[in-house]
Amino acid sequence: MTSYALFLGCTIPARQPSYEVSARRALTKLGIELVDLANMTCCAPPPVQSLDLETGLSIAAYNICLAEEADLNIVTLCTGCFESLAMANAMLKENEKLKARVNQILSNAGKEFEGSKEVKHYLQVLLNDVGPNRLKENVSKNLSSLKVASFSGCHLLRPSALLKFDDPEKPYIFDDLIETLGAKSIWYRHKLKCCGGLLRGYADDVALALAREKIVNTTKAGADCIVTLCPFCFLTLDLGQVLMKSTFHEEYNMPVLHYSELLALALGIDPTELALQFHKIKVYSVLNKIG
Amino acid sequence: MNEVKVGVFLSDCGNQLSKILDFNALTNYVKDVSDVVLVKRNSEFWRGEGLRIIVDAVKGGKINRVVVAESLPKLSEVSIVQAVEEAGLNPYLVEVIDLKDHCAWPHRETPKEATEKAKAMLLAATERAKLLEPIEKLEFPALKSVLVIGGGIAGMQAAVDLADLGFEVDLVEKEPFLGGLAARAGRFFPTDDCAICIQSPASDVKTITHTSRKCVYRSGFTEIPNLNILANSKVVGVEGVPGNYKVTIEKKPRYVNELKCVRCDLCTPVCPVEVPDEYNAKLKTRKAIYMITPNVHPPVYVIDESVCKFRDCAKCVEVCPTDAIELDQKIERVTLNVGSIIVATGFQEFDSSVIKEYHYGDYPDVITNLELARMIDGFGPTGGTIIKPSDRKPAKKIVMVQCVGSRDRRWNPYCSSICCMISLKHASLIKTAYPDTDVTVCYIDIRTTGREHEYYYERAREMGVKFVKGRPSEISRDPETGRLIVDVEDELLKRFLELDADLVVLAPAMVPAEGTKELAEILGLELEEDGFFKEYNAKLRPTETKLRGMYLCGGATFPKDAPTTSLHAHSAAMKAAKFLITGKIVKDQRTAVVNEEYCGDCEFCPVTCPYGAISLEPTSEDHIVARISDLLCEGCGICVGTCPLNAIELRHSRPNQMLAQMKALMSINGTSKPLILTICCSECGHAAVDSSGMAMMQYPANVRVMKVPCTGILQVHQFLEAFKVGAQGVMVVGCKSDGCHYEVGSQQAEKKVALARMLLKEYGIEPERLEMFNMVYIEGDKFAEAAQTMTERLKKLGKLQLMEGS
Amino acid sequence: MKQGKEEKTTNQAFSDVITSRLGGETITLCYQCGTCASSCPVARITPRFNPREVIKLSLLGEKDEVLSGDAIWLCCSCYNCQERCPQKVEIADVIYALRNIAVKEGNIPNIYSEFAAELINEGRIVPISKFLEKKRPDLGLPSLKPVGVDALRKIFSITGFDKIKQEKAEAS
C-alpha cells in the first residue's frame, strides 16, 4: 500500500465535506493510505503570497518539512494547495539562495527544508500509483452517457515551469482520467480560462462574471455537468450559480462535481454516503445518468 | 652575425615637439648609447627628404637597425618599413615610437620630466632594436578553387561570381535541387519579381556583360564549364589548411543518370507511389520519382528512396526511353581539393508547433508564411488560389500573426528581420488578386527598414489590409463550425478582439538551417548563441570567419532578404577571390616558435590557441611536442603566456627584447613620482594610450608604456621582473574581455594578473601595485585617469621594498 | 503624467524597487506586446485591470497610481499571461511583488487584512465552522489534527508578517 501525507488544506474541511469524504473513500478503496499529520497549516495560497511572497514560501516550506520529518511524500486534494506547495518545493529545490533565506526563517520554528520529498496532486497518484488500467478495472458503474465539461483549475497546470504537471496549453491528463471512468470529456470555449475564484471577496462582481462565462460556455457545449479538482473553483461555480440567479435572474442548474465524487460514484460507492447534500446545485440529473 | 649599428631618427614634427622636449639633450643622450652610430633630427622622417635620409643611411650600409621617433606611427611606420625594405634591409629591424602622443602631448605641462621620459623611451627603442632579428616572408600554395556549401540564393550567387572570375567552383547542395528556401517564396520584395529567378543565379552567365536582366531558367547556369554542381550531397569531412583543403563529399544516389535523363516525363505518370509534396507545403502530392518544378537545376528527375518500391515496381525503368533510371546507384564519396570554402547554408522556418497556444500542426488552417507563399505562387499547388487546407475552399478571412517564435525569449530572442516584409508582401499580393479578401495583420512592431520597404506598408494600408497592434494570445477553433478565432488585444483601442478567420498565417522566426551545427563541427567553425554561423566581426570583417580561407554568406549568418543576401554573397566571393587570386599566400614569420628541448607532454597551448595553429606531434624520443603552423599562427603570443615551461617564444617579441625594453624604460625617472610600467597590447590598449595623448589629456611622466602584441603573451614572472628592474607599479592595458582582437588574450592576461597578485601578496608586496585595465580607443580619458589613480595609489603605498631573491 | 528630470529619477527608483523584490525581477523585459492582456480573463471582463497597463505604468514610474489603485488586486493569479509572455516576464509574480510593496506601504484591501488576521490567529485563512467540525464523525471523517499556529507565528516574527496589521493601522 502506498502511503502519503494528506495535505487537507482549509477550504475542504471548512466547506466541502463531500470532497473529503469521496476522496478518502475512493483513494482508500484504490489502495492508497492517507496519513493525517499534526501541525499542518494553511498552504499559503495566492492571498498570502499577495501579502508577502517570502512569508508564503516559508509557510509552504514549513508544511513540506513536516512531511520530510514523517518521511512521506505529500498528496493534496485541493489544486490551490498543490500549487502553493509544489511551487515552493520546486523553487526552493532550484534556487540555493532562496532556500538558504527560507531556512534562515524556518530555523526560528525549528525546521529545515531539505528538498527530499515530492508534492503530488491526487490525480498524479491515480495516474502513476494506481494507473489507468487498475482504475478502469475498479469502475463498476456505467458513465458512458455522461458528457463532462472538465475544469482542472488554473493552479494544477500553471505556472508550468515549476509545477510540471501537464502541458499548460494542451492538457490531457485530467480529461484522460475522466474518460478512464467511462464518461465523455467535451470541449468548450475558453476551457483553460480562470473561473475567477480568487477574486471572490475582493471583486465579487468580476468573479461572478468570470464564473458565469464558464457556466454559459459549458451549457452551450451541452455538458451534463462540470467536473472540478479545486474547492475554490467548485465554490465559484456551484454557489456562483445561486448568485447568478439572484444577480442576473439566470438559472442554469449546471451540476458541479468534484472529480473525487465522480470517481467514488464510478467505483460504486453509495451516493448517499458521499454528503452530496452540501452541493448548492443538485446533482440528481448526473446520478440518473450513471447506470 | 654582423655588428649592430643603430641609426636613431628624431622627428620634431615641424618644431612642435621641441617646444616641449629638449631635442639637444635628447640627441646628446642618444649619441652616447652603445651601438648607436647615427643620430639625425628632422621635422619629419616618414616621407620626402626625411625618409631619404633613412634610406641613404641604410643603402650606404652605415646602419642596420632603424629607430624612428615619429608621430602617428600607425601611418608613418608603413612607409618607413616599406622604404627600409626597398633599401635592402629586413623590414623587421625597424622600431618606430611616438614621442608626441606618448610623451610630449600628455606631459606638456612638465617639459623637463617629459624630456627625461623621452630619453628612457629612446633608450628602450634602441635596446629593443639591437635585439631584433630578421624575419622572413613565407609562401604557401593556394589552390584556385572554391567549395561553396549550399545551393540557395547566396551559394549560387557566390559560385557564379567566382566561376566568372575563373576559379574552379564546386557547389554542394544537400537537397536534390538547387534553389533553397528562397525558391519557394513565390515572389520577392522589394521588387515583386518571381522567385524562380533564384532557382538559377541572378545573372545570365552567357551575357555577363549585359545589364539587362535575363530570365534565369534560360541562363545556362549548369553549363558554366568551371562550375561543378553536386546536388543531393553533403560535406562529411574536411582536412588541410587554408589554401589547400581536402574535402570529402557524400553524394546520395539520385537513381537517375544525369547525363541520360531527357526530362520526357514518361516516368512520373507510371509511378504508383504518391506522397505529400513537402516542397509545396503538402498542398499537393508528388510521385516517388519527381522534379520539384519544371525549371530547376539540375534539370534531372530524382527518386525519393524513402518511399520508392525499387525492384518491386520498377515501372519507371520500363518506360524510360534512354535507360536513365539506375536503381542500383549507391552512395558515392567524392574528394575535392579546394583553396577556400564558402558556407551558404541559409536558414529555415522555425517549427511553430512548439507554441502550443497557436495550434500549428493541430489545426490545418493555421499555416506559415512559407506555406502561404506556395499558394500565392501561380506555379504552386493551388495555382495561385488562397485556400483553407481543411476543406480546400477559398479563404476569405485571413489573419496574419507576426513574431511567432521571434523576439521570444522562450525560443529565439532576436528579430528575424524579414517577416514583417514577407507578411506585407503576402497581404498586398492577396489583396491585388482577391480584393474582397479580408486580411488582418496582428503585429508588435512593423519593421520596414529597407529601401522601398515602407512603401509596402503604405500600399497594404491603401489596399485595405487591417492592422492590429497586439500579439495574439491564442488561436482556438470552434469544433462545430471549424472556424478559427484569434484572441488579441488591440492595444491602441484597448479593446479585446476575437478575430474570426478562415485561415491564420503565422510569421515564424527564421532559424539556422538543419544540419548547421553538424557542419560547423566538421569545418571547425564557431556558432553564435542563436545557432547561426559566427562572422569574424560584423563591422570590420563581414563574411569572414576566424579561419582564413573559410567564408560565410547569406542566411547562414542571420536571416536576410534577397538583396542583402546577394550583397553578402558577392562579399564572400570577393574575399575568397582575394585570398586565392595570386595562387599563393604570402605571410611573414612573425609567429611563435617552439623550443623542442623544453617542450613536452602537456596540452595547454593547442587548447588556448584561438586559431588552431598548434598541433601536438610525437617525436622520436617518445614524447609529444607542440608544432606551430606558420600559416595559421597570428603571432599574438597567447601560447607563450600559456606555456608552463617557457618553451614558446614569438620571433618578433622575444623575452630578452621585452626585458631590455623594461629595463630601459625604468632606468631613468626624472620625476619625483614612482615609476609605473604600463604594458599594453598593440590593439585597443595601445590605441587608448594614443588617443589620450592626441587629446592632450595630462598624466604624469612617470608612466612608461611598453607595447606587446597582445596582453595574452604575458607570463606571471614578467610582472615580478618589472618590479625587480625598478617599477613601483605595473599597469596592464588590454582590450575588453569580450573584445580582444585575439579572442581570449585579454581574458588570459586577467587570469595571469590575478595569479601574480596572489604571488605578490605571498612575497609581502601590496597586490594593488599591479592592475589590469580593459579599454578601447575612445577611452583615452580612462587611460589618463587610470595613470593618475595608479600614481596616487603608489605614492600612498610608499617605496617598494623587495626582499632578496624574490 | 508629469514631465521633466525629477520624474526620471523617480522612474528609475520604482523599477529598481520592483526588480529587487522577489517576483519582480523580470518586469523590465516587457516590450508591451499585449499577449498578457489578451490572455487575461479579467481584462476581458473589466477595464479596471489590464496587466500590460500595470506593467507600463510601473515602468514609467507611476508608483502612486499603481500602488494605491485597485488594478493590482484584480489579478486572478491564473498565470495564463506568464505562460505565454514571449519575453518571459513573470507577470503574475510581478503582480505579487507589486502587491507586496503596496502592503508594505499600508495599502491593503480589507479582505486581505482579514486573511492576514485569520492566518496569524488560526493558522488558516478560511475558518472552519464548529458545525461542520462536529459533524465529521457522522460523515465518516477523522477528527481534525491540531494546526501549527505557533510555528507560523515564529516564522512571522522573522518575516515581519505579524506587523502587517500594524502597518495598515499606521497608514490609515
Side-chain angles (χ1 to χ4, degrees):
Chain A
M1 187 179 249
T2 317
S3 299
Y4 284 94
L6 174 67
F7 190 88
L8 197 52
C10 313
T11 313
I12 291 174
R15 302 237 175 121
Q16 291 164 29
S18 63
Y19 197 159
E20 190 179 340
V21 172
S22 56
R24 284 186 191 269
R25 292 280 306 265
L27 287 170
T28 313
K29 190 162 183 189
L30 292 166
I32 304 297
E33 187 198 17
L34 302 173
V35 181
D36 290 273
L37 296 179
N39 294 324
M40 286 198 156
T41 69
C42 164
C43 67
V48 178
Q49 295 164 29
S50 299
L51 290 160
D52 188 46
L53 260 179
E54 196 178 83
T55 302
L57 279 174
S58 306
I59 295 175
Y62 159 79
N63 283 293
I64 298 168
C65 288
L66 295 177
E68 286 180 349
E69 285 167 8
D71 196 19
L72 288 168
N73 287 323
I74 291 178
V75 66
T76 74
L77 302 181
C78 164
T79 304
C81 298
F82 170 71
E83 189 234 19
S84 316
L85 299 181
M87 190 167 79
N89 207 27
M91 278 172 86
L92 296 175
K93 280 183 188 180
E94 278 170 20
N95 185 335
E96 278 298 323
K97 219 174 119 190
L98 197 62
K99 183 176 157 187
R101 168 68 187 143
V102 165
N103 272 334
Q104 190 195 336
I105 295 166
L106 290 182
S107 66
N108 204 41
K111 298 283 175 222
E112 188 183 351
F113 175 86
E114 284 176 16
S116 59
K117 290 294 162 205
E118 302 293 320
V119 175
K120 295 185 183 180
H121 188 274
Y122 80 93
L123 282 197
Q124 287 165 314
V125 172
L126 290 178
L127 189 69
N128 301 320
D129 296 338
V130 179
N133 291 336
R134 229 177 84 213
L135 191 55
K136 205 175 262 173
E137 283 163 21
N138 278 279
V139 171
S140 63
K141 295 285 178 182
N142 183 356
L143 275 61
S144 61
S145 60
L146 199 62
K147 282 192 283 178
V148 169
S150 76
F151 181 56
S152 67
C154 302
H155 293 164
L156 188 69
L157 304 172
R158 300 183 293 263
S160 65
L162 293 169
L163 300 182
K164 298 187 173 76
F165 181 87
D166 199 350
D167 187 320
E169 298 289 349
K170 289 188 209 168
Y172 57 90
I173 291 175
F174 184 30
D175 297 274
D176 282 0
L177 281 172
I178 288 171
E179 305 222 322
T180 304
L181 302 183
K184 172 148 182 51
S185 178
I186 61 164
W187 183 93
Y188 59 94
R189 181 140 171 80
H190 287 158
K191 184 169 176 168
L192 298 179
K193 283 247 156 88
C194 178
C195 68
L198 279 170
L199 294 175
R200 283 167 42 82
Y202 178 75
D204 289 325
D205 55 334
V206 179
L208 194 61
L210 285 168
R212 180 170 171 257
E213 263 202 352
K214 196 123 274 212
I215 300 292
V216 168
N217 286 334
T218 50
T219 304
K220 256 191 204 164
D224 295 323
C225 63
I226 298 175
V227 171
T228 65
L229 288 169
C230 166
F232 246 67
C233 302
F234 176 86
L235 200 65
T236 313
L237 298 174
D238 183 56
L239 178 67
Q241 289 182 63
V242 178
L243 300 172
M244 285 169 218
K245 193 176 172 187
S246 59
T247 315
F248 308 117
H249 309 292
E250 292 170 352
E251 213 170 329
Y252 296 96
N253 284 320
M254 171 63 73
V256 185
L257 265 80
H258 291 297
Y259 178 76
S260 58
E261 293 169 342
L262 194 69
L263 174 66
L265 291 169
L267 295 179
I269 295 169
D270 185 348
T272 59
E273 293 171 17
L274 293 175
L276 295 172
Q277 66 274 22
F278 286 93
H279 287 238
K280 299 289 177 206
I281 304 297
K282 296 303 160 204
V283 298
Y284 305 125
S285 61
V286 177
L287 298 180
N288 287 338
K289 287 207 168 189
I290 297 176
Chain B
M1 176 124 188
N2 289 336
E3 187 193 345
V4 168
K5 294 174 286 183
V6 185
V8 182
F9 303 90
L10 299 171
S11 153
D12 59 24
C13 299
N15 272 328
Q16 279 192 83
L17 296 193
S18 48
K19 284 175 194 157
I20 297 156
L21 303 176
D22 181 345
F23 266 72
N24 288 333
L26 292 182
T27 322
N28 286 333
Y29 172 75
V30 179
K31 257 185 201 153
D32 295 337
V33 174
S34 62
D35 300 327
V36 172
V37 297
L38 180 72
V39 180
K40 290 279 181 191
R41 171 180 170 182
N42 199 25
S43 68
E44 59 177 16
F45 277 104
W46 66 285
R47 59 180 177 185
E49 184 209 339
L51 190 57
R52 248 194 320 276
I53 296 172
I54 300 179
V55 168
D56 289 346
V58 171
K59 270 192 182 158
K62 221 172 185 179
I63 58 170
N64 57 16
R65 293 289 187 284
V66 180
V67 171
V68 191
E70 182 56 279
S71 65
L72 293 176
K74 281 258 162 355
L75 277 174
S76 51
E77 193 171 352
V78 178
S79 66
I80 294 167
V81 164
Q82 216 173 333
V84 165
E85 188 174 15
E86 278 164 21
L89 188 66
N90 186 290
Y92 301 100
L93 300 176
V94 179
E95 178 74 2
V96 181
I97 59 166
D98 183 356
L99 281 185
K100 190 171 97 188
D101 295 328
H102 285 207
C103 185
W105 274 192
H107 313 312
R108 59 186 300 142
E109 280 158 21
T110 51
K112 277 200 182 120
E113 292 183 0
T115 302
E116 293 306 304
K117 173 171 168 176
K119 284 181 190 170
M121 287 172 70
L122 286 166
L123 180 64
T126 308
E127 293 302 330
R128 175 173 153 81
K130 283 194 240 175
L131 295 168
L132 289 175
E133 51 196 81
I135 287 174
E136 297 312 316
K137 283 188 177 155
L138 306 173
E139 279 186 13
F140 302 89
L143 300 175
K144 294 179 87 170
S145 56
V146 180
L147 168 71
V148 179
I149 307 171
I153 179 167
M156 285 196 290
Q157 187 63 64
V160 169
D161 282 350
L162 288 162
D164 285 348
L165 289 169
F167 291 87
E168 290 295 324
V169 181
D170 292 294
L171 177 61
V172 169
E173 165 59 46
K174 68 177 176 194
E175 297 294 327
F177 302 99
L178 300 182
L181 182 75
R184 294 160 71 185
R187 283 173 183 275
F188 281 170
F189 62 86
T191 43
D192 273 353
D193 1 349
C194 54
I196 191 93
C197 280
I198 289 317
Q199 249 139 356
S200 248
S203 72
D204 180 336
V205 291
K206 296 260 173 67
T207 54
I208 193 83
T209 50
H210 294 208
T211 49
S212 60
R213 230 158 42 100
K214 301 290 171 192
C215 197
V216 259
Y217 59 86
R218 296 179 287 143
S219 72
F221 179 63
T222 43
E223 303 312 312
I224 304 174
N226 50 337
L227 174 62
N228 175 33
I229 298 171
L230 291 146
N232 227 8
S233 304
K234 62 176 186 179
V235 175
V236 292
V238 174
E239 293 167 45
V241 289
N244 193 357
Y245 291 110
K246 197 167 134 195
V247 185
T248 311
I249 308 284
E250 199 175 275
K251 208 173 167 208
K252 281 205 310 196
R254 199 173 188 94
Y255 303 106
V256 179
N257 187 316
E258 305 192 14
L259 300 172
K260 287 185 185 169
C261 175
V262 291
R263 302 175 290 287
C264 62
D265 200 30
L266 288 173
C267 50
T268 53
V270 300
C271 177
V273 180
E274 203 159 337
V275 289
D277 181 2
E278 292 271 357
Y279 180 82
N280 281 311
K282 296 184 180 169
L283 289 163
K284 68 185 256 301
T285 56
R286 63 157 167 79
K287 297 298 181 67
I289 185 163
Y290 71 103
M291 269 167 76
I292 44 174
T293 70
N295 302 308
V296 284
H297 289 296
V300 178
Y301 283 87
V302 65
I303 290 177
D304 179 348
E305 59 181 13
S306 67
V307 293
C308 177
K309 296 188 189 348
F310 289 97
R311 289 282 168 219
D312 294 343
C313 166
K315 289 212 168 66
C316 51
V317 181
E318 287 163 26
V319 297
C320 181
T322 59
D323 292 333
I325 295 164
E326 298 170 353
L327 297 179
D328 298 326
Q329 280 187 8
K330 295 273 175 302
I331 291 179
E332 255 181 82
R333 285 213 166 198
V334 184
T335 306
L336 303 171
N337 290 303
V338 296
S340 177
I341 297 171
I342 294 180
V343 178
T345 46
F347 54 81
Q348 66 185 26
E349 274 189 341
F350 166 72
D351 175 13
S352 303
S353 69
V354 300
I355 300 181
K356 303 247 172 65
E357 56 269 35
Y358 288 170
H359 296 278
Y360 175 71
D362 292 345
Y363 304 159
D365 297 339
V366 177
I367 65 168
T368 69
N369 255 332
L370 197 56
E371 289 165 345
L372 177 65
R374 297 313 305 139
M375 289 197 216
I376 292 174
D377 187 351
F379 278 115
T382 61
T385 317
I386 315 302
I387 61 162
K388 293 192 282 176
S390 62
D391 59 7
R392 301 191 79 89
K393 286 186 185 144
K396 287 290 162 198
K397 277 187 155 182
I398 300 171
V399 175
M400 297 185 171
V401 180
Q402 299 305 109
C403 298
V404 177
S406 288
R407 305 181 70 197
D408 189 328
R409 294 178 63 250
R410 299 170 300 173
W411 309 105
N412 310 290
Y414 53 87
C415 165
S416 296
S417 77
I418 54 173
C419 336
C420 281
M421 282 305 297
I422 293 172
S423 297
L424 290 173
K425 175 198 74 178
H426 285 167
S428 306
L429 289 171
I430 292 170
K431 275 289 194 185
T432 309
Y434 310 102
D436 62 335
T437 303
D438 188 276
V439 182
T440 306
V441 180
C442 301
Y443 67 96
I444 306 173
D445 300 289
I446 293 280
R447 293 182 170 172
T448 57
T449 54
R451 157 159 291 207
E452 301 281 312
H453 290 189
E454 182 65 11
Y455 168 67
Y456 268 74
Y457 189 12
E458 190 184 310
R459 191 177 60 171
R461 296 197 302 272
E462 261 169 31
M463 289 173 151
V465 175
K466 296 173 194 161
F467 289 88
V468 172
K469 184 172 170 60
R471 182 179 174 279
S473 59
E474 187 176 352
I475 299 163
S476 47
R477 184 178 58 173
D478 189 315
E480 273 167 38
T481 62
R483 296 193 68 79
L484 299 173
I485 307 161
V486 180
D487 283 344
V488 62
E489 181 201 19
D490 186 317
E491 294 180 20
L492 304 176
L493 294 175
K494 289 196 202 167
R495 202 174 284 174
F496 294 96
L497 309 177
E498 295 185 355
L499 301 170
D500 169 72
D502 293 322
L503 188 68
V504 176
V505 184
L506 307 179
M510 301 298 169
V511 296
E514 212 183 304
T516 293
K517 215 172 150 193
E518 293 74 12
L519 183 63
E521 265 168 36
I522 291 169
L523 299 178
L525 291 176
E526 286 177 34
L527 298 179
E528 297 277 5
E529 225 171 273
D530 55 27
F532 287 101
F533 280 100
K534 186 179 171 136
E535 278 182 288
Y536 192 78
N537 182 306
K539 181 184 68 171
L540 302 169
R541 312 268 290 269
T543 68
E544 292 178 43
T545 69
K546 203 170 69 184
L547 306 176
R548 265 179 310 168
M550 291 208 199
Y551 305 94
L552 308 166
C553 65
T557 66
F558 201 66
K560 284 179 185 60
D561 61 11
T564 319
T565 301
S566 281
L567 280 175
H568 217 227
H570 291 315
S571 163
M574 212 281 286
K575 299 267 171 83
K578 202 168 125 183
F579 183 59
L580 302 175
I581 195 113
T582 58
K584 62 187 181 190
I585 301 161
V586 180
K587 194 170 169 288
D588 64 54
Q589 217 176 358
R590 280 189 293 178
T591 53
V593 54
V594 176
N595 183 335
E596 292 188 8
E597 255 178 67
Y598 301 161
C599 172
D601 302 326
C602 89
E603 298 177 0
F604 291 128
C605 58
V607 176
T608 341
C609 176
Y611 304 96
I614 308 178
S615 52
L616 294 175
E617 283 171 28
T619 62
S620 49
E621 297 97 54
D622 199 30
H623 83 144
I624 297 168
V625 296
R627 288 268 158 77
I628 290 165
S629 155
D630 281 327
L631 176 62
L632 298 177
C633 177
E634 292 275 324
C636 60
I638 291 171
C639 54
V640 179
T642 308
C643 179
L645 300 169
N646 292 337
I648 315 181
E649 294 185 4
L650 287 187
R651 290 184 172 86
H652 53 297
S653 205
R654 300 263 189 200
N656 64 338
Q657 295 165 355
M658 289 191 261
L659 184 61
Q661 254 181 302
M662 254 186 220
K663 271 186 182 161
L665 287 169
M666 297 294 109
S667 65
I668 305 168
N669 189 336
T671 78
S672 58
K673 298 172 205 82
L675 279 171
I676 297 174
L677 180 68
T678 302
I679 307 173
C680 66
C681 75
S682 59
E683 302 292 343
C684 296
H686 203 249
V689 181
D690 283 348
S691 74
S692 78
M694 274 178 216
M696 293 197 191
M697 287 161 187
Q698 298 296 298
Y699 58 88
N702 57 311
V703 178
R704 307 287 157 84
V705 176
M706 178 172 98
K707 182 168 77 172
V708 292
C710 169
T711 51
I713 195 178
L714 296 171
Q715 292 170 289
V716 170
H717 69 83
Q718 285 176 303
F719 303 123
L720 307 178
E721 268 168 6
F723 289 114
K724 247 178 144 175
V725 301
Q728 299 289 304
V730 177
M731 293 166 63
V732 180
V733 185
C735 305
K736 301 276 180 189
S737 288
D738 57 353
C740 175
H741 289 235
Y742 299 103
E743 315 263 319
V744 295
S746 266
Q747 293 160 25
Q748 292 292 329
E750 276 162 31
K751 286 184 207 157
K752 299 287 158 49
V753 167
L755 194 60
R757 284 169 70 124
M758 278 161 60
L759 271 179
L760 289 176
K761 214 172 168 186
E762 288 292 311
Y763 292 148
I765 299 171
E766 301 86 348
E768 57 268 39
R769 287 182 187 270
L770 170 63
E771 192 171 339
M772 169 110 193
F773 300 87
N774 304 88
M775 294 176 192
V776 294
Y777 172 71
I778 50 168
E779 290 177 328
D781 56 336
K782 210 172 143 186
F783 174 73
E785 196 190 311
Q788 289 278 12
T789 314
M790 197 71 179
T791 303
E792 292 308 314
R793 183 191 298 169
L794 293 174
K795 271 194 207 161
K796 271 190 202 132
L797 287 176
K799 197 166 166 9
L800 171 66
Q801 302 296 329
L802 276 185
M803 285 188 294
E804 249 343 273
S806 63
Chain C
M1 207 184 97
K2 285 166 281 175
Q3 294 289 325
K5 209 175 176 183
E6 193 191 85
E7 185 64 21
K8 251 186 178 169
T9 49
T10 346
N11 293 353
Q12 192 53 43
F14 190 44
S15 62
D16 278 354
V17 170
I18 302 166
T19 51
S20 60
R21 221 174 149 99
L22 190 59
E25 301 90 342
T26 54
I27 189 171
T28 53
L29 293 166
C30 175
Y31 62 11
Q32 293 284 304
C33 69
T35 306
C36 52
S38 176
S39 299
C40 179
V42 179
R44 282 177 174 268
I45 287 204
T46 172
R48 287 155 65 198
F49 177 64
N50 179 318
R52 180 180 60 75
E53 285 182 11
V54 168
I55 290 176
K56 184 78 187 169
L57 285 168
S58 301
L59 292 174
L60 288 174
E62 297 295 332
K63 186 180 167 199
D64 295 341
E65 190 175 340
V66 173
L67 295 186
S68 59
D70 154 63
I72 55 172
W73 300 100
L74 278 160
C75 166
C76 64
S77 308
C78 74
Y79 283 94
N80 240 324
C81 51
Q82 189 152 328
E83 291 291 336
R84 292 173 178 169
C85 175
Q87 286 296 303
K88 287 197 191 173
V89 178
E90 292 169 352
I91 302 154
D93 296 338
V94 166
I95 301 276
Y96 283 141
L98 290 169
R99 287 179 181 176
N100 288 180
I101 297 167
V103 167
K104 280 257 177 270
E105 303 214 340
N107 291 323
I108 315 177
N110 287 332
I111 180 85
Y112 283 87
S113 299
E114 286 167 26
F115 288 143
E118 283 295 333
L119 191 62
I120 293 165
N121 297 329
E122 306 293 336
R124 298 180 186 274
I125 59 169
V126 183
I128 290 174
S129 73
K130 290 277 167 266
F131 168 73
L132 270 185
E133 198 167 356
K134 267 188 206 150
K135 234 176 147 34
R136 287 181 70 87
D138 299 345
L139 296 168
L141 294 171
S143 56
L144 290 170
K145 295 277 181 188
V147 177
V149 66
D150 293 334
L152 287 198
R153 287 184 194 149
K154 283 176 185 155
I155 289 171
F156 299 160
S157 70
I158 307 281
T159 64
F161 192 83
D162 47 1
K163 309 276 185 324
I164 280 178
K165 272 169 71 186
Q166 252 172 291
E167 278 162 24
K168 167 94 174 169
E170 277 162 23
S172 59

